[in-house]
Amino acid sequence: MSFLSGLRGTDDQGFDGYDEYRPANLPDPGDFLAAGDVLTGDDHAAFHRLTRALFEERGVYDVTFGYNLARLNLDHRHQDAGFRYALDPEEDGTLRAEFSPTTAFCPQSDTLTVGAFRAWNGLADRHEYDLVRVRVAPVHQQSAAINGRLERLEQAYRETGTVPDDIEGDGPETGPAATDDLPF
């Protein structure tokens, strides 16, 4: 648990439950999920409960809010933020996950999506998918760079069967930090 969560309170007021599926409190599925079979109802809730456990084990936390990133889907303050999931239409055994950040310039989007990829695929024995592909929604100002990095990470995972510690070609000249369009 983050030290910030104690400052913000530990009650569940203002949050949906992990067993609930409330589409009005979730981001709309984006382009990455459009062709797939989007998880809804119990299927969405079940995978999201698993996500909470995997993120807890791997420490995928949103430091701004001081909680496990899976909890963002449940936070009433950010109804258009969090993860949505869809079965990959082109590849059996593959799930797609799209992260919608709270803002178009969320500075954690790269770290959070890479952390999510590492958690889901590094603990693949805990779910039914051979691969979980991850992308950040195009609303993020650096989505092309972040998604390029996620694609390279995915390719390395496909080639080796293990989640790499780093990704070749992600130096300061090519990674998401290389863009000049920072918001401040």
Side-chain angles (χ1 to χ4, degrees):
M1 175 179 276
S2 169
F3 73 94
L4 293 175
S5 61
L7 297 174
R8 292 189 171 89
T10 56
D11 63 39
D12 288 333
Q13 189 173 23
F15 292 88
D16 294 328
Y18 280 98
D19 292 327
E20 298 177 82
Y21 173 72
R22 297 190 180 198
N25 292 347
L26 294 172
D28 290 331
D31 294 342
F32 186 60
L33 306 182
D37 185 12
V38 176
L39 299 187
T40 59
D42 291 341
D43 293 333
H44 172 90
F47 189 76
H48 203 67
R49 282 191 306 274
L50 173 70
T51 294
R52 174 185 60 179
L54 299 181
F55 285 8
E56 190 66 33
E57 187 169 329
R58 288 294 176 105
V60 184
Y61 268 66
D62 185 313
V63 297
T64 301
F65 303 118
Y67 56 57
N68 179 317
L69 180 59
R71 196 163 195 220
L72 180 58
N73 273 46
L74 314 175
D75 192 332
H76 294 179
R77 297 171 298 179
H78 305 288
Q79 294 177 336
D80 294 327
F83 281 100
R84 288 302 300 268
Y85 315 104
L87 299 176
D88 194 299
E90 301 164 2
E91 198 171 347
D92 287 342
T94 299
L95 185 74
R96 292 183 179 199
E98 185 174 61
F99 176 68
S100 295
T102 57
T103 66
F105 55 87
C106 173
Q108 296 182 75
S109 289
D110 179 54
T111 303
L112 294 173
T113 53
V114 168
F117 180 92
R118 292 180 188 283
W120 283 317
N121 293 296
L123 298 170
D125 60 327
R126 306 263 299 274
H127 56 75
E128 62 187 283
Y129 303 103
D130 299 325
L131 172 67
V132 178
R133 301 176 67 200
V134 181
R135 298 296 184 271
V136 68
V139 67
H140 193 278
Q141 68 167 0
Q142 294 181 353
S143 63
I146 293 169
N147 289 337
R149 181 172 188 216
L150 290 163
E151 288 172 22
R152 291 189 300 279
L153 184 61
E154 179 184 312
Q155 185 62 38
Y157 179 72
R158 287 178 187 271
E159 290 171 0
T160 65
T162 61
V163 178
D165 290 334
D166 58 3
I167 309 161
E168 190 164 326
D170 263 0
E173 297 80 33
T174 59
T179 62
D180 292 327
D181 57 350
L182 296 176
F184 33 80

